C-alpha cells in the first residue's frame, strides 16, 4: 500500500481514489472510538482540485489520486454511485457571497441544485447551513460542522449517508465482559448463528493474520469487520482491512483457522446437519468530529491554507484560500441494520490579493417611538396599505 505522500502512479478511478484517501486517513486513527467518511471528504477535495493552481494543485492531486483536469469528471463517478444506490445517499452544497464571481465552467460541472447564497450575516447563514445538514442527514446531524461569518466568501459541503438492514438479523442481550480488554464493561451484545460461508475470511495480510467478517445488507451495502492481532495498531488494522476488502489485487493467502484472530473451532453434536458460524459482537454507536486542518498534508490542504496568495483561480475570479475544513460523523451498528451519516464542510476566505476594502459611509436609523407606514405599489404609486404603529407588539 502507498502512503499519502507516495502517490500510486496510475490514474485512479473515482472509487479507487476515494478508497485510497480513506485508507490513508484510517492509518492515523488512534485507540479511541472514531468514525470517518473518506468519501465525504474526497468529493470536496476533488471539487477543489479541479480549480486549484500551483503547489496547492500538486498537493491536492497527490491527496485525491487524480489529475486536476479530470477531478470533477472523476468526482461524478462517486456521486453517481451514491445517487443510484438504494442504500446510499449524498448531497453537495455550495454557498457564496454575492460579490464572489465563480467561474462558469466550474459551476456547470456541479449538481444543478447545489448552489446557494451567503448573506454575510452569521446567524442567518448558520441557520441555512444547519438546516441543510439536518435535512440531508435525516436529522442525525443538526449542526453544520463549520461556523460561518462575514469573512467567509464561499462554503463547500458534502453530506453522505448509508442505511441498510441485515440479511440476517442479530439477537441482542446485555452482557458484562468478565475478561480481556473490556473486563467489567457492560454493553449490548449482538449474536447470531449463520450458515453463509462467504461471510468470513482469514488472511495472512502484510500485518499478519487478519480476520474479516463481511455482514451482508439486504440491498447493496455490506459492513466489513476487521480483527487483527492485539499488538497491531488500530490504524494499521483498519487501513489494511480496507485495502483487503476493496482492492482486486489484494490476493493474500489464507491463514489457518487456529491462527485467525478471534476464531475458535470446535466439534459439536447437532440435529441441524450443517456447519455454521456463530457471531458475537457489541452493538455500537459512534459520533466523531474531525478538524481536517490538524493534518493538512493528509488531505492535500497545506498549501491551500496559505492566505498570502490565491490558490483556486479555476473556481472564482477572486483569490481564495481554505480557512477551515471539518467533518461530523455518526455511525450505528445494531441488531437489525447499520446507519451512518457525515457532513463535511470547507470554508473559503479571501486571499491577500483581493482588492482592498473601501471606506464606506454608514447611516443608522433608530425608530424607538410611534411611527406610521404605507405600502405603495411601485409602478402605479398606488397606496395599498397604510397604518400607524403606536407601540410594537
Amino acid at each position: 500500500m502507498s502512503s499519502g505522500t507516495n502517490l500510486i502512479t496510475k490514474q485512479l478511478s473515482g472509487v479507487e481514489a476515494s478508497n485510497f484517501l480513506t485508507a490513508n486517513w484510517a492509518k492515523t486513527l488512534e485507540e479511541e472510538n472514531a468514525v470517518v467518511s473518506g468519501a465525504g471528504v474526497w468529493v470536496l477535495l476533488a471539487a477543489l482540485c479541479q480549480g486549484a493552481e500551483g503547489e496547492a494543485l500538486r498537493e491536492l492531486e497527490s491527496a485525491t489520486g487524480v489529475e486536476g483536469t479530470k477531478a470533477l469528471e472523476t468526482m461524478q463517478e462517486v456521486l453517481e454511485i451514491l445517487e443510484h444506490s438504494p442504500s446510499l445517499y449524498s448531497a453537495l452544497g455550495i454557498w457564496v457571497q454575492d460579490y464572489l464571481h465563480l467561474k462558469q465552467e466550474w459551476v456547470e460541472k456541479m449538481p444543478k441544485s447545489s448552489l446557494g447564497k451567503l448573506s454575510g450575516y452569521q446567524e442567518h447563514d448558520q441557520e441555512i447551513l444547519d438546516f441543510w445538514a439536518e435535512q440531508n442527514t435525516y436529522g442525525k446531524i443538526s449542526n453544520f460542522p463549520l461556523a460561518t461569518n462575514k469573512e467567509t466568501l464561499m462554503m463547500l459541503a458534502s453530506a453522505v449517508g448509508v442505511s441498510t438492514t441485515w440479511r440476517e438479523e442479530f439477537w441482542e442481550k446485555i452482557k458484562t465482559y468478565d475478561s480481556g480488554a473490556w473486563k467489567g464493561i457492560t454493553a449490548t451484545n449482538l449474536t447470531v448463528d449463520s450458515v453463509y460461508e462467504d461471510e468470513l475470511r482469514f488472511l495472512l495480510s502484510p500485518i499478519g493474520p487478519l480476520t474479516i467478517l463481511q455482514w451482508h445488507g439486504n440491498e447493496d451495502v455490506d459492513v466489513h469487520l476487521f480483527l487483527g492481532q492485539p499488538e497491531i495498531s488500530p490504524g494499521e488494522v483498519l487501513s489494511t482491512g480496507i485495502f483487503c476488502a476493496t482492492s482486486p489485487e489484494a490476493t493474500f493467502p489464507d491463514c489457518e483457522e487456529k491462527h485467525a484472530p478471534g476464531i475458535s473451532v470446535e466439534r459439536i453434536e447437532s440435529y441441524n446437519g450443517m456447519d455454521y458460524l456463530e457471531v458475537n459482537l457489541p452493538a455500537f454507536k459512534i459520533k466523531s468530529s474531525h478538524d481536517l486542518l490538524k493534518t493538512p498534508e493528509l488531505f492535500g490542504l497545506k498549501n491551500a491554507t496559505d492566505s498570502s496568495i490565491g490558490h483556486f483561480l479555476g473556481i472564482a475570479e477572486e483569490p481564495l484560500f481554505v480557512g477551515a475544513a471539518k467533518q461530523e460523523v455518526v455511525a450505528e451498528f445494531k441488531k437489525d441494520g447499520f446507519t451512518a451519516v457525515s457532513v463535511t464542510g470547507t470554508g473559503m476566505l479571501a486571499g491577500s490579493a483581493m482588492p482592498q476594502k473601501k471606506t464606506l459611509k454608514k447611516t443608522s436609523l433608530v425608530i424607538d417611538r410611534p411611527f406610521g407606514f404605507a405600502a405603495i405599489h411601485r409602478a402605479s404609486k398606488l397606496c395599498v396599505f397604510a397604518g400607524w404603529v403606536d407601540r410594537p407588539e
Side-chain angles (χ1 to χ4, degrees):
M1 284 183 295
S2 299
S3 68
T5 56
N6 182 21
L7 179 61
I8 297 174
T9 54
K10 68 174 183 176
Q11 170 70 27
L12 301 180
S13 68
V15 171
E16 289 172 328
S18 180
N19 290 345
F20 176 65
L21 176 69
T22 302
N24 280 314
W25 192 0
K27 281 185 179 181
T28 69
L29 298 184
E30 300 175 351
E31 295 181 347
E32 59 183 21
N33 282 358
V35 57
V36 304
S37 173
V41 175
W42 185 86
V43 294
L44 295 191
L45 297 181
L48 293 177
C49 187
Q50 182 85 35
E53 294 186 345
E55 289 300 318
L57 170 61
R58 283 185 280 275
E59 196 174 36
L60 281 165
E61 286 179 328
S62 180
T64 59
V66 295
E67 296 177 15
T69 56
K70 299 178 180 179
L72 291 184
E73 176 186 336
T74 312
M75 181 187 75
Q76 290 299 332
E77 295 177 27
V78 175
L79 291 179
E80 285 180 12
I81 292 172
L82 295 171
E83 179 181 352
H84 293 109
S85 165
S87 303
L88 302 171
Y89 52 93
S90 67
L92 195 67
I94 306 165
W95 299 267
V96 297
Q97 293 212 37
D98 281 336
Y99 55 87
L100 183 69
H101 301 94
L102 295 180
K103 294 291 181 68
Q104 194 60 33
E105 56 267 30
W106 186 83
V107 173
E108 287 174 351
K109 295 178 180 179
M110 293 295 154
K112 301 295 184 185
S113 61
S114 62
L115 197 60
K117 288 187 176 183
L118 294 175
S119 68
Y121 293 98
Q122 184 173 1
E123 289 187 8
H124 175 267
D125 291 340
Q126 202 66 49
E127 284 181 5
I128 291 174
L129 297 176
D130 288 347
F131 177 76
W132 184 90
E134 186 169 25
Q135 184 180 47
N136 287 288
T137 62
Y138 296 92
K140 294 183 181 294
I141 297 176
S142 57
N143 295 317
F144 193 80
L146 287 179
T148 183
N149 56 51
K150 61 184 178 181
E151 301 297 327
T152 306
L153 299 189
M154 177 179 178
M155 190 71 76
L156 184 62
S158 71
V160 175
V162 57
S163 180
T164 187
T165 54
W166 300 133
R167 181 174 69 180
E168 295 178 281
E169 288 193 13
F170 294 88
W171 295 94
E172 66 177 13
K173 64 183 293 185
I174 301 300
K175 174 182 178 178
T176 299
Y177 295 89
D178 55 13
S179 62
W182 292 348
K183 184 176 180 180
I185 294 176
T186 300
T188 299
N189 184 67
L190 303 178
T191 185
V192 70
D193 294 340
S194 174
V195 297
Y196 292 98
E197 296 181 355
D198 64 338
E199 289 169 337
L200 197 62
R201 297 163 62 197
F202 319 120
L203 299 179
L204 192 58
S205 76
I207 61 169
L210 181 68
T211 299
I212 301 179
L213 175 68
Q214 179 181 355
W215 206 248
H216 296 274
N218 271 322
E219 291 168 324
D220 62 349
V221 171
D222 303 325
V223 175
H224 298 252
L225 307 177
F226 310 113
L227 188 64
Q229 299 286 55
E231 66 273 14
I232 306 300
S233 71
E236 288 295 335
V237 171
L238 186 53
S239 61
T240 302
I242 293 169
F243 182 71
C244 292
T246 62
S247 303
E249 65 269 27
T251 53
F252 300 112
D254 295 339
C255 75
E256 297 181 43
E257 287 183 343
K258 64 181 179 180
H259 298 309
I263 298 298
S264 62
V265 180
E266 59 180 323
R267 298 295 176 183
I268 62 171
E269 300 296 326
S270 173
Y271 292 106
N272 190 355
M274 298 181 67
D275 294 340
Y276 70 94
L277 165 69
E278 180 185 83
V279 178
N280 282 275
L281 73 153
F284 60 82
K285 183 175 183 179
I286 299 173
K287 297 181 180 181
S288 290
S289 300
H290 305 286
D291 185 346
L292 308 187
L293 297 190
K294 284 188 175 181
T295 54
E297 299 88 351
L298 175 63
F299 304 104
L301 294 175
K302 184 177 180 180
N303 282 286
T305 58
D306 180 3
S307 63
S308 64
I309 58 174
H311 308 280
F312 301 98
L313 295 181
I315 295 178
E317 295 179 11
E318 296 81 3
L320 298 170
F321 73 96
V322 175
K326 293 184 178 181
Q327 182 181 87
E328 294 287 330
V329 202
V330 179
E332 185 172 13
F333 190 113
K334 51 186 180 179
K335 69 174 185 177
D336 56 356
F338 178 80
T339 60
V341 293
S342 73
V343 173
T344 310
T346 58
M348 313 290 284
L349 307 181
S352 63
M354 282 283 283
Q356 294 298 309
K357 294 181 180 179
K358 299 178 181 178
T359 301
L360 303 176
K361 178 182 178 182
K362 177 183 178 181
T363 302
S364 298
L365 171 64
V366 179
I367 298 178
D368 55 5
R369 54 185 176 81
F371 65 98
F373 71 93
I376 302 173
H377 179 248
R378 181 182 301 160
S380 66
K381 306 301 181 185
L382 174 68
C383 180
V384 184
F385 293 97
W388 178 262
V389 177
D390 186 63
R391 63 180 184 182
E393 294 292 328

